Amino acid sequence: MTGSKQVLQLSISPGGIPKRAVAEAKVTSSGILGDSWANPDIHGGPNQALLLITSEGIDELVAQGFALFYGALGENLTTSGIDRREMRVGQRYRAGEVFLELTKLRVPCSTLNVYPGIQAAIYDPQVKAGDPSSPRWGLSGFYARVLKGGAIRQHDIIALVDQVV
């Protein structure tokens, strides 16, 4: 599947980070069954049901010296083949049976402080202002709402199907 856009890893946890890999999952409007958040008053909810981060972005951070792995930043879907610099709120994707819509850029929280310096590496004033020209754009990931739930498996194709403006 070289060059294809795919879900490289699905990850869940009972709360907090890191999340562990699972081969397949059932996704509902609340997120992946079996996944939870350490602070549900801040995380989760219908507009933050899933967190997507690109494997390429994680690989960039590893190259900068961060001891990361897929799932380490709390993402549910680690994607491959999607350019994080092209990701935008309002984009709709299909992954397996699931249809999802990117709802907002993730603002890093103190949970990520287990990786000293990571917040400055993945988020800056340009990103905060919504400027995709920032070199850090998309490194923190994107939250998504689930438009249609269903099954999703590791290595399922993920495809952009629509852009809401």
Side-chain angles (χ1 to χ4, degrees), residues 84 105-108 119-142:
R84 65 178 172 80
L105 201 65
R106 179 227 211 145
V107 176
Q119 292 203 35
I122 64 175
Y123 197 81
D124 64 12
Q126 274 182 280
V127 172
K128 183 177 180 178
D131 180 357
S133 70
S134 167
R136 292 172 178 83
W137 183 260
L139 283 173
S140 61
F142 284 86

Side-chain angles (χ1 to χ4, degrees), residues 24-36:
E24 60 184 278
K26 173 84 171 153
V27 179
T28 71
S29 61
S30 299
I32 295 179
L33 292 181
D35 187 48
S36 192

